Amino acid sequence: MTPRALALARTLLSRTRAFEQAARRNGAHDDFAIREQRQKLVEKVLFTEVGLTDFAKAQLVAVAMPRNADARQHADRDLRELAEFLDRHLDWAALT
């Protein structure tokens, strides 16, 4: 896995972790709305952090994101697997 994929995976996981913690603190109960907001967050990170312009790729990454990102026991494995996924599916030469 490349350092860029690892850094992006770390960013995505930390942002989704913060989102999920905030949603729980606020007592969010609408699972559909939470999933939709989480997907938009992932897409926004991809568009702004690495300049991804392919909406279908952004959706693919959003779907591949591990659920319950704040589960500490899976954090290292989730980070590694997400970084490997990003390496396989993103064209780093085309990204900023």
Coordinates of all heavy atoms in Angstrom, one line a residue:
M1 N 0.8 -1.2 0.0 CA 0.0 0.0 0.0 C 0.9 1.2 0.0 O 1.9 1.2 0.6 CB -1.0 -0.1 1.2 CG -0.5 0.6 2.5 SD -1.6 0.2 3.8 CE -1.0 -1.4 4.3
T2 N 0.4 2.2 -0.7 CA 1.2 3.5 -0.8 C 1.0 4.4 0.3 O 0.0 4.3 1.0 CB 0.8 4.2 -2.1 OG1 -0.5 4.6 -2.0 CG2 1.1 3.3 -3.4
P3 N 1.9 5.3 0.6 CA 1.8 6.2 1.7 C 0.6 7.1 1.5 O -0.1 7.5 2.4 CB 3.1 7.1 1.7 CG 4.1 6.2 1.1 CD 3.3 5.3 0.1
R4 N 0.3 7.5 0.2 CA -0.9 8.3 -0.1 C -2.2 7.6 0.3 O -3.1 8.2 0.8 CB -0.9 8.7 -1.5 CG 0.1 9.8 -1.9 CD -0.1 10.3 -3.3 NE -1.2 11.2 -3.4 CZ -1.7 11.6 -4.5 NH1 -1.2 11.3 -5.6 NH2 -2.8 12.4 -4.5
A5 N -2.3 6.3 0.0 CA -3.5 5.6 0.3 C -3.6 5.5 1.8 O -4.8 5.6 2.3 CB -3.4 4.2 -0.4
L6 N -2.6 5.2 2.5 CA -2.6 5.1 3.9 C -3.0 6.4 4.6 O -3.9 6.4 5.5 CB -1.2 4.7 4.4 CG -1.1 4.3 5.9 CD1 -2.1 3.1 6.2 CD2 0.3 3.9 6.2
A7 N -2.5 7.5 4.1 CA -2.9 8.9 4.6 C -4.3 9.2 4.4 O -5.1 9.7 5.2 CB -2.0 9.9 4.0
L8 N -4.8 8.9 3.2 CA -6.2 9.1 2.8 C -7.1 8.2 3.6 O -8.2 8.7 4.1 CB -6.5 8.9 1.3 CG -7.9 9.1 0.8 CD1 -8.4 10.5 1.2 CD2 -8.0 8.9 -0.7
A9 N -6.8 7.0 3.8 CA -7.6 6.0 4.6 C -7.6 6.5 6.1 O -8.7 6.5 6.7 CB -7.0 4.6 4.6
R10 N -6.5 7.0 6.6 CA -6.5 7.6 8.0 C -7.4 8.8 8.1 O -8.2 8.9 9.0 CB -5.1 7.9 8.3 CG -4.9 8.2 9.8 CD -3.4 8.4 10.2 NE -2.7 7.1 10.2 CZ -1.7 6.8 9.4 NH1 -1.2 7.6 8.5 NH2 -1.2 5.6 9.4
T11 N -7.4 9.6 7.1 CA -8.3 10.8 7.1 C -9.7 10.4 7.0 O -10.6 10.9 7.8 CB -7.9 11.7 5.9 OG1 -6.6 12.2 6.0 CG2 -8.8 12.9 5.8
L12 N -10.1 9.5 6.1 CA -11.4 9.1 6.0 C -11.9 8.4 7.2 O -13.1 8.7 7.7 CB -11.6 8.1 4.8 CG -11.5 8.7 3.4 CD1 -11.3 7.6 2.4 CD2 -12.7 9.5 3.1
L13 N -11.1 7.6 7.8 CA -11.6 6.9 9.1 C -11.7 7.9 10.2 O -12.7 7.8 11.0 CB -10.6 5.8 9.4 CG -10.7 4.6 8.5 CD1 -9.6 3.6 8.8 CD2 -12.0 3.9 8.7
S14 N -10.8 8.8 10.3 CA -10.9 9.8 11.5 C -12.1 10.7 11.3 O -12.8 11.0 12.3 CB -9.7 10.6 11.6 OG -9.5 11.5 10.5
R15 N -12.4 11.1 10.1 CA -13.6 12.0 9.8 C -14.9 11.2 10.1 O -15.8 11.8 10.6 CB -13.6 12.6 8.4 CG -12.3 13.4 8.2 CD -12.6 14.9 8.1 NE -11.4 15.6 7.9 CZ -11.0 16.1 6.8 NH1 -11.7 16.0 5.7 NH2 -9.9 16.8 6.7
T16 N -15.0 10.0 9.6 CA -16.2 9.2 9.8 C -16.4 8.9 11.3 O -17.5 8.8 11.8 CB -16.3 7.9 8.9 OG1 -15.1 7.1 9.2 CG2 -16.4 8.3 7.5
R17 N -15.3 8.6 12.0 CA -15.3 8.3 13.4 C -15.9 9.5 14.1 O -16.8 9.4 15.0 CB -13.9 8.0 13.9 CG -13.9 7.7 15.4 CD -12.5 7.3 15.9 NE -12.0 6.2 15.2 CZ -10.8 6.2 14.5 NH1 -10.1 7.3 14.5 NH2 -10.4 5.2 13.8
A18 N -15.4 10.7 13.8 CA -15.9 11.9 14.4 C -17.4 12.1 14.1 O -18.2 12.5 15.0 CB -15.1 13.2 14.0
F19 N -17.8 11.9 12.9 CA -19.2 12.1 12.5 C -20.1 11.1 13.3 O -21.1 11.5 13.8 CB -19.3 11.8 11.0 CG -20.8 11.7 10.5 CD1 -21.6 12.8 10.5 CD2 -21.3 10.4 10.3 CE1 -22.9 12.6 10.1 CE2 -22.6 10.3 9.9 CZ -23.4 11.4 9.8
E20 N -19.7 9.8 13.3 CA -20.5 8.8 14.0 C -20.6 9.1 15.5 O -21.7 9.0 16.1 CB -19.9 7.4 13.8 CG -20.0 6.9 12.4 CD -19.3 5.7 12.1 OE1 -18.5 5.2 12.9 OE2 -19.4 5.2 11.0
Q21 N -19.5 9.6 16.1 CA -19.6 10.0 17.5 C -20.5 11.1 17.8 O -21.3 11.1 18.7 CB -18.2 10.3 18.1 CG -17.3 9.1 18.2 CD -15.9 9.4 18.5 OE1 -15.4 10.5 18.4 NE2 -15.1 8.4 18.9
A22 N -20.5 12.1 16.9 CA -21.4 13.3 17.0 C -22.8 12.9 16.8 O -23.7 13.3 17.5 CB -21.0 14.4 16.0
A23 N -23.0 12.0 15.8 CA -24.4 11.5 15.6 C -25.0 10.8 16.8 O -26.1 11.0 17.2 CB -24.4 10.6 14.4
R24 N -24.2 10.0 17.4 CA -24.6 9.3 18.6 C -24.9 10.2 19.8 O -25.8 10.1 20.5 CB -23.6 8.2 19.1 CG -23.8 6.9 18.3 CD -23.0 5.8 19.0 NE -21.6 6.1 19.2 CZ -20.6 6.0 18.3 NH1 -20.9 5.5 17.1 NH2 -19.4 6.3 18.7
R25 N -24.0 11.2 20.0 CA -24.2 12.2 21.0 C -25.4 13.0 20.8 O -26.1 13.4 21.8 CB -23.0 13.2 21.1 CG -21.8 12.7 21.9 CD -20.8 13.8 22.2 NE -20.4 14.6 21.0 CZ -19.4 14.3 20.3 NH1 -18.7 13.2 20.5 NH2 -19.1 15.0 19.2
N26 N -25.8 13.3 19.6 CA -27.0 14.0 19.3 C -28.2 13.2 19.3 O -29.3 13.7 19.0 CB -26.8 14.8 17.9 CG -25.8 15.8 18.0 OD1 -25.5 16.4 19.1 ND2 -25.2 16.1 16.9
G27 N -28.1 11.9 19.5 CA -29.2 11.0 19.6 C -29.9 10.7 18.3 O -31.1 10.5 18.2
A28 N -29.1 10.7 17.2 CA -29.7 10.5 15.8 C -30.2 9.0 15.8 O -29.5 8.1 16.2 CB -28.6 10.7 14.8
H29 N -31.4 8.9 15.2 CA -32.0 7.6 15.2 C -32.4 7.2 13.7 O -32.8 6.0 13.5 CB -33.3 7.6 16.0 CG -33.0 7.8 17.5 ND1 -32.3 6.9 18.2 CD2 -33.3 8.8 18.3 CE1 -32.2 7.3 19.5 NE2 -32.8 8.5 19.5
D30 N -32.3 8.1 12.8 CA -32.7 7.8 11.4 C -31.5 7.2 10.7 O -30.6 7.9 10.2 CB -33.2 9.1 10.7 CG -33.7 8.8 9.3 OD1 -33.6 7.7 8.8 OD2 -34.2 9.8 8.7
D31 N -31.5 5.9 10.6 CA -30.3 5.2 10.0 C -30.1 5.6 8.6 O -29.0 5.7 8.1 CB -30.5 3.7 10.1 CG -30.3 3.2 11.5 OD1 -29.7 3.9 12.4 OD2 -30.8 2.1 11.8
F32 N -31.2 5.7 7.8 CA -31.0 6.1 6.4 C -30.4 7.5 6.3 O -29.5 7.7 5.5 CB -32.4 6.1 5.7 CG -32.3 6.5 4.3 CD1 -31.8 5.7 3.3 CD2 -32.7 7.8 3.9 CE1 -31.7 6.0 2.0 CE2 -32.5 8.2 2.5 CZ -32.1 7.3 1.6
A33 N -30.8 8.4 7.1 CA -30.3 9.8 7.0 C -28.8 9.8 7.5 O -28.0 10.5 6.9 CB -31.1 10.7 7.9
I34 N -28.5 9.0 8.5 CA -27.1 8.9 8.9 C -26.2 8.3 7.8 O -25.1 8.8 7.6 CB -27.0 8.1 10.2 CG1 -27.7 8.8 11.4 CG2 -25.6 7.8 10.6 CD1 -27.8 8.0 12.6
R35 N -26.7 7.2 7.2 CA -25.9 6.6 6.1 C -25.7 7.6 5.0 O -24.6 7.7 4.4 CB -26.6 5.4 5.6 CG -26.4 4.2 6.5 CD -26.8 2.9 5.8 NE -28.1 2.9 5.2 CZ -29.2 2.5 5.8 NH1 -29.2 2.1 7.1 NH2 -30.4 2.6 5.2
E36 N -26.7 8.3 4.6 CA -26.6 9.3 3.6 C -25.7 10.4 3.9 O -24.8 10.8 3.1 CB -28.0 9.9 3.3 CG -28.1 10.7 2.0 CD -29.5 11.2 1.7 OE1 -30.3 10.3 1.4 OE2 -29.7 12.4 1.7
Q37 N -25.7 10.9 5.1 CA -24.8 12.0 5.5 C -23.3 11.5 5.6 O -22.4 12.2 5.2 CB -25.2 12.5 6.9 CG -26.4 13.4 6.9 CD -26.7 13.9 8.3 OE1 -26.6 13.1 9.3 NE2 -27.2 15.1 8.4
R38 N -23.2 10.3 6.0 CA -21.9 9.6 6.1 C -21.3 9.5 4.7 O -20.1 9.8 4.4 CB -22.0 8.3 6.7 CG -20.7 7.6 7.1 CD -21.0 6.3 7.8 NE -19.9 5.7 8.3 CZ -19.1 4.8 7.6 NH1 -19.5 4.5 6.4 NH2 -18.1 4.3 8.2
Q39 N -22.1 9.1 3.7 CA -21.7 8.9 2.3 C -21.3 10.3 1.8 O -20.2 10.4 1.1 CB -22.8 8.3 1.5 CG -22.4 8.1 0.0 CD -23.4 7.3 -0.8 OE1 -24.2 6.6 -0.2 NE2 -23.3 7.5 -2.1
K40 N -22.0 11.3 2.0 CA -21.7 12.6 1.6 C -20.4 13.1 2.2 O -19.6 13.8 1.5 CB -22.8 13.6 1.8 CG -24.0 13.4 1.0 CD -25.2 14.3 1.3 CE -26.4 13.9 0.5 NZ -26.9 14.9 -0.4
L41 N -20.2 12.8 3.4 CA -18.9 13.2 4.1 C -17.7 12.5 3.4 O -16.7 13.2 3.1 CB -18.9 12.8 5.6 CG -17.6 12.9 6.3 CD1 -17.3 14.4 6.5 CD2 -17.7 12.2 7.7
V42 N -17.8 11.2 3.1 CA -16.7 10.5 2.4 C -16.5 11.1 1.0 O -15.4 11.4 0.6 CB -17.1 9.0 2.3 CG1 -16.1 8.3 1.4 CG2 -17.1 8.4 3.7
E43 N -17.6 11.4 0.3 CA -17.4 12.0 -1.0 C -16.8 13.4 -0.9 O -15.9 13.7 -1.7 CB -18.8 12.1 -1.7 CG -19.4 10.8 -2.0 CD -20.9 10.9 -2.4 OE1 -21.5 12.0 -2.3 OE2 -21.5 9.8 -2.7
K44 N -17.2 14.2 0.0 CA -16.6 15.5 0.2 C -15.1 15.4 0.5 O -14.3 16.2 -0.1 CB -17.3 16.3 1.3 CG -16.7 17.7 1.5 CD -17.5 18.4 2.6 CE -16.9 19.8 2.8 NZ -17.6 20.5 3.8
V45 N -14.7 14.5 1.3 CA -13.3 14.3 1.6 C -12.5 13.9 0.3 O -11.5 14.5 0.1 CB -13.0 13.3 2.7 CG1 -11.6 12.9 2.8 CG2 -13.6 13.8 4.1
L46 N -13.1 13.0 -0.4 CA -12.4 12.6 -1.7 C -12.3 13.7 -2.7 O -11.3 13.9 -3.3 CB -13.1 11.4 -2.3 CG -13.0 10.1 -1.5 CD1 -14.0 9.1 -2.0 CD2 -11.6 9.6 -1.5
F47 N -13.4 14.5 -2.8 CA -13.3 15.6 -3.7 C -12.4 16.7 -3.3 O -11.7 17.3 -4.2 CB -14.8 16.2 -3.9 CG -15.8 15.2 -4.5 CD1 -17.1 15.3 -4.1 CD2 -15.4 14.2 -5.4 CE1 -18.0 14.4 -4.7 CE2 -16.3 13.3 -5.9 CZ -17.7 13.5 -5.5
T48 N -12.3 17.0 -2.0 CA -11.5 18.1 -1.6 C -10.1 17.8 -1.2 O -9.2 18.5 -1.5 CB -12.1 18.9 -0.4 OG1 -12.3 17.9 0.7 CG2 -13.5 19.4 -0.7
E49 N -9.9 16.6 -0.7 CA -8.5 16.2 -0.2 C -7.6 15.7 -1.4 O -6.4 16.0 -1.3 CB -8.6 15.1 0.8 CG -9.3 15.5 2.1 CD -8.5 16.5 3.0 OE1 -7.2 16.4 3.0 OE2 -9.1 17.4 3.6
V50 N -8.2 15.0 -2.3 CA -7.3 14.4 -3.4 C -7.8 14.8 -4.8 O -7.2 14.4 -5.7 CB -7.2 12.9 -3.3 CG1 -6.5 12.5 -2.0 CG2 -8.6 12.2 -3.4
G51 N -8.8 15.6 -4.8 CA -9.3 16.1 -6.1 C -10.0 15.1 -7.0 O -10.0 15.2 -8.2
L52 N -10.6 14.1 -6.4 CA -11.3 13.1 -7.2 C -12.5 13.8 -7.8 O -13.2 14.6 -7.2 CB -11.8 12.0 -6.2 CG -12.5 10.8 -6.9 CD1 -11.5 10.0 -7.8 CD2 -13.1 9.9 -5.9
T53 N -12.7 13.5 -9.1 CA -13.9 14.1 -9.8 C -14.8 13.0 -10.3 O -15.9 13.3 -10.8 CB -13.4 14.9 -11.0 OG1 -12.6 14.0 -11.9 CG2 -12.5 16.1 -10.6
D54 N -14.5 11.8 -10.1 CA -15.3 10.7 -10.6 C -16.3 10.3 -9.4 O -16.0 9.7 -8.4 CB -14.5 9.4 -10.9 CG -15.2 8.3 -11.5 OD1 -16.5 8.2 -11.3 OD2 -14.6 7.4 -12.1
F55 N -17.6 10.7 -9.7 CA -18.6 10.5 -8.6 C -18.9 9.0 -8.3 O -19.1 8.7 -7.2 CB -19.9 11.2 -9.1 CG -21.0 11.2 -8.0 CD1 -20.9 11.9 -6.9 CD2 -22.1 10.4 -8.2 CE1 -21.9 11.8 -5.9 CE2 -23.1 10.3 -7.3 CZ -23.0 11.0 -6.1
A56 N -18.8 8.2 -9.4 CA -19.0 6.8 -9.2 C -17.9 6.2 -8.3 O -18.2 5.3 -7.5 CB -19.1 6.1 -10.5
K57 N -16.7 6.6 -8.5 CA -15.6 6.1 -7.6 C -15.8 6.6 -6.2 O -15.5 5.8 -5.3 CB -14.2 6.6 -8.2 CG -13.7 6.0 -9.4 CD -13.1 4.7 -9.1 CE -12.5 4.2 -10.4 NZ -11.9 2.9 -10.2
A58 N -16.2 7.8 -6.0 CA -16.5 8.3 -4.7 C -17.5 7.5 -4.0 O -17.4 7.2 -2.8 CB -16.9 9.8 -4.7
Q59 N -18.6 7.1 -4.7 CA -19.6 6.3 -4.1 C -19.1 4.9 -3.8 O -19.5 4.3 -2.8 CB -20.8 6.2 -5.1 CG -21.6 7.5 -5.2 CD -22.8 7.3 -6.1 OE1 -22.7 6.7 -7.2 NE2 -23.9 7.9 -5.7
L60 N -18.3 4.4 -4.7 CA -17.7 3.1 -4.4 C -16.8 3.1 -3.1 O -17.0 2.2 -2.3 CB -16.8 2.7 -5.6 CG -16.1 1.3 -5.5 CD1 -17.1 0.2 -5.6 CD2 -15.0 1.2 -6.6
V61 N -16.1 4.1 -2.9 CA -15.3 4.2 -1.7 C -16.2 4.4 -0.5 O -16.0 3.8 0.5 CB -14.3 5.4 -1.8 CG1 -13.6 5.6 -0.5 CG2 -13.2 5.1 -2.9
A62 N -17.2 5.2 -0.6 CA -18.2 5.4 0.5 C -18.8 4.1 0.9 O -19.0 3.8 2.1 CB -19.2 6.4 0.1
V63 N -19.2 3.3 -0.1 CA -19.8 2.0 0.3 C -18.8 1.0 0.9 O -19.1 0.2 1.8 CB -20.4 1.4 -1.0 CG1 -20.8 -0.1 -0.8 CG2 -21.6 2.2 -1.5
A64 N -17.5 1.2 0.5 CA -16.5 0.3 1.0 C -16.0 0.7 2.4 O -15.3 -0.1 3.1 CB -15.3 0.3 0.1
M65 N -16.3 1.9 2.9 CA -15.9 2.3 4.2 C -16.4 1.4 5.3 O -17.6 1.0 5.3 CB -16.4 3.7 4.5 CG -15.8 4.8 3.7 SD -14.1 5.1 4.2 CE -14.3 5.6 5.9
P66 N -15.5 1.0 6.2 CA -16.0 0.1 7.3 C -17.0 0.8 8.2 O -17.0 2.0 8.4 CB -14.7 -0.1 8.1 CG -13.7 0.8 7.7 CD -14.1 1.4 6.3
R67 N -18.0 0.1 8.6 CA -19.0 0.6 9.5 C -18.5 0.7 10.9 O -17.6 -0.1 11.3 CB -20.3 -0.3 9.5 CG -20.9 -0.3 8.1 CD -21.5 1.0 7.7 NE -22.1 1.0 6.4 CZ -21.7 1.8 5.4 NH1 -20.7 2.6 5.6 NH2 -22.2 1.7 4.2
N68 N -19.1 1.5 11.7 CA -18.7 1.7 13.1 C -17.2 1.9 13.2 O -16.5 1.2 13.8 CB -19.1 0.4 13.9 CG -19.1 0.7 15.4 OD1 -19.0 1.8 15.8 ND2 -19.2 -0.4 16.2
A69 N -16.8 3.0 12.6 CA -15.4 3.3 12.5 C -14.7 3.6 13.9 O -13.5 3.6 13.9 CB -15.2 4.6 11.6
D70 N -15.5 3.7 14.9 CA -14.8 4.0 16.2 C -14.5 2.7 17.0 O -14.1 2.7 18.1 CB -15.6 4.9 17.1 CG -17.0 4.4 17.5 OD1 -17.5 3.4 16.8 OD2 -17.6 4.9 18.4
A71 N -14.7 1.5 16.4 CA -14.4 0.3 17.1 C -12.9 0.1 17.1 O -12.3 -0.3 16.1 CB -15.1 -0.9 16.4
R72 N -12.3 0.3 18.2 CA -10.9 0.3 18.4 C -10.2 -1.0 18.1 O -9.1 -1.1 17.5 CB -10.5 0.7 19.8 CG -10.9 2.1 20.2 CD -9.9 3.1 19.6 NE -10.2 4.4 20.0 CZ -9.9 5.5 19.3 NH1 -9.3 5.4 18.3 NH2 -10.3 6.7 19.7
Q73 N -10.9 -2.1 18.4 CA -10.3 -3.4 18.1 C -10.1 -3.7 16.7 O -9.3 -4.6 16.3 CB -11.1 -4.5 18.8 CG -12.5 -4.8 18.2 CD -13.6 -3.9 18.8 OE1 -13.3 -2.9 19.4 NE2 -14.8 -4.4 18.7
H74 N -10.8 -3.0 15.8 CA -10.6 -3.3 14.4 C -9.9 -2.1 13.6 O -9.7 -2.2 12.4 CB -12.0 -3.5 13.7 CG -12.8 -4.6 14.3 ND1 -12.4 -5.9 14.2 CD2 -13.9 -4.6 15.0 CE1 -13.3 -6.7 14.8 NE2 -14.2 -5.9 15.3
A75 N -9.5 -1.2 14.4 CA -8.9 0.1 13.7 C -7.7 -0.2 12.8 O -7.7 0.3 11.7 CB -8.6 1.1 14.8
D76 N -6.8 -1.0 13.3 CA -5.6 -1.2 12.4 C -5.9 -2.0 11.2 O -5.5 -1.7 10.1 CB -4.5 -1.9 13.2 CG -3.9 -1.1 14.3 OD1 -3.9 0.2 14.1 OD2 -3.3 -1.6 15.3
R77 N -6.7 -3.0 11.3 CA -7.1 -3.8 10.2 C -8.0 -3.0 9.2 O -7.8 -3.1 8.0 CB -7.9 -5.1 10.6 CG -8.2 -6.0 9.5 CD -9.1 -7.2 9.9 NE -10.4 -6.7 10.1 CZ -11.3 -7.3 10.9 NH1 -10.9 -8.3 11.6 NH2 -12.5 -6.8 11.0
D78 N -8.9 -2.2 9.7 CA -9.7 -1.4 8.9 C -8.9 -0.4 8.1 O -9.1 -0.2 6.9 CB -10.8 -0.6 9.7 CG -11.9 -1.5 10.2 OD1 -12.0 -2.6 9.7 OD2 -12.6 -1.0 11.1
L79 N -7.9 0.2 8.8 CA -7.0 1.2 8.1 C -6.2 0.5 7.0 O -6.2 1.0 5.9 CB -6.0 1.8 9.1 CG -5.0 2.7 8.6 CD1 -5.7 4.0 8.0 CD2 -4.0 3.1 9.7
R80 N -5.7 -0.7 7.3 CA -4.9 -1.4 6.3 C -5.8 -1.8 5.1 O -5.4 -1.6 3.9 CB -4.2 -2.6 6.9 CG -3.3 -3.3 6.0 CD -2.7 -4.6 6.6 NE -3.7 -5.6 6.9 CZ -4.2 -5.9 8.1 NH1 -3.8 -5.3 9.1 NH2 -5.1 -6.9 8.2
E81 N -6.9 -2.4 5.4 CA -7.8 -2.8 4.3 C -8.4 -1.7 3.5 O -8.4 -1.8 2.2 CB -9.0 -3.7 4.9 CG -8.5 -5.0 5.4 CD -9.6 -5.8 6.1 OE1 -10.8 -5.3 6.2 OE2 -9.4 -6.9 6.5
L82 N -8.7 -0.6 4.1 CA -9.2 0.6 3.3 C -8.1 1.1 2.5 O -8.3 1.5 1.3 CB -9.7 1.6 4.3 CG -10.3 2.9 3.6 CD1 -11.4 2.5 2.6 CD2 -10.8 3.9 4.6
A83 N -6.9 1.2 3.0 CA -5.7 1.7 2.2 C -5.5 0.8 1.0 O -5.2 1.3 -0.1 CB -4.5 1.9 3.0
E84 N -5.5 -0.5 1.2 CA -5.4 -1.4 0.1 C -6.5 -1.2 -1.0 O -6.2 -1.3 -2.2 CB -5.3 -2.8 0.6 CG -4.0 -3.1 1.3 CD -4.0 -4.4 2.1 OE1 -5.1 -5.1 2.1 OE2 -3.0 -4.8 2.7
F85 N -7.7 -1.0 -0.5 CA -8.8 -0.8 -1.4 C -8.6 0.5 -2.2 O -8.8 0.5 -3.4 CB -10.1 -0.7 -0.6 CG -11.3 -0.5 -1.4 CD1 -12.0 -1.5 -2.0 CD2 -11.8 0.8 -1.7 CE1 -13.2 -1.3 -2.8 CE2 -12.9 1.1 -2.4 CZ -13.6 0.0 -3.0
L86 N -8.2 1.5 -1.6 CA -7.9 2.8 -2.2 C -6.9 2.6 -3.3 O -7.0 3.2 -4.4 CB -7.6 3.9 -1.2 CG -8.7 4.3 -0.3 CD1 -8.1 5.2 0.8 CD2 -9.8 4.9 -1.0
D87 N -5.8 1.9 -3.0 CA -4.7 1.7 -4.0 C -5.2 0.9 -5.2 O -4.8 1.2 -6.3 CB -3.6 0.8 -3.3 CG -2.5 1.7 -2.8 OD1 -2.4 2.9 -3.2 OD2 -1.7 1.2 -2.0
R88 N -6.1 0.0 -5.0 CA -6.7 -0.8 -6.1 C -7.6 0.0 -7.0 O -7.7 -0.2 -8.2 CB -7.4 -2.1 -5.6 CG -6.5 -3.2 -5.2 CD -7.3 -4.5 -5.0 NE -8.4 -4.3 -4.1 CZ -8.4 -4.4 -2.8 NH1 -7.3 -4.6 -2.1 NH2 -9.6 -4.3 -2.1
H89 N -8.4 0.9 -6.4 CA -9.5 1.5 -7.1 C -9.3 3.0 -7.5 O -10.0 3.5 -8.3 CB -10.8 1.4 -6.3 CG -11.2 0.0 -6.2 ND1 -11.8 -0.7 -7.2 CD2 -11.1 -0.9 -5.1 CE1 -12.1 -1.9 -6.8 NE2 -11.6 -2.1 -5.6
L90 N -8.3 3.7 -7.0 CA -8.0 5.1 -7.3 C -6.8 5.2 -8.2 O -5.8 4.5 -8.0 CB -7.8 5.9 -6.1 CG -9.0 6.0 -5.1 CD1 -8.7 6.9 -4.0 CD2 -10.3 6.5 -5.9
D91 N -6.9 6.0 -9.2 CA -5.7 6.3 -10.1 C -5.0 7.5 -9.5 O -5.3 8.7 -9.7 CB -6.3 6.6 -11.5 CG -5.2 7.0 -12.5 OD1 -4.0 6.8 -12.1 OD2 -5.5 7.4 -13.6
W92 N -3.9 7.2 -8.7 CA -3.2 8.2 -8.0 C -2.5 9.2 -9.0 O -2.4 10.4 -8.6 CB -2.2 7.6 -7.1 CG -2.8 6.8 -6.0 CD1 -2.9 5.5 -5.8 CD2 -3.5 7.4 -4.9 NE1 -3.6 5.1 -4.7 CE2 -4.0 6.3 -4.1 CE3 -3.9 8.6 -4.5 CZ2 -4.7 6.4 -2.9 CZ3 -4.6 8.8 -3.3 CH2 -5.0 7.7 -2.6
A93 N -2.2 8.8 -10.1 CA -1.5 9.7 -11.1 C -2.5 10.8 -11.5 O -2.1 11.9 -11.9 CB -1.0 8.9 -12.3
A94 N -3.8 10.5 -11.5 CA -4.8 11.5 -12.0 C -5.2 12.4 -10.8 O -6.0 13.4 -11.0 CB -6.0 10.8 -12.6
L95 N -4.8 12.2 -9.6 CA -5.3 12.9 -8.4 C -4.2 13.9 -8.0 O -3.0 13.7 -8.2 CB -5.7 12.0 -7.3 CG -6.7 10.9 -7.6 CD1 -6.9 10.0 -6.5 CD2 -8.0 11.6 -8.0
T96 N -4.6 14.9 -7.3 CA -3.7 15.9 -6.8 C -3.0 15.5 -5.5 O -3.4 14.6 -4.8 CB -4.4 17.3 -6.4 OG1 -5.5 17.0 -5.4 CG2 -5.0 17.9 -7.6

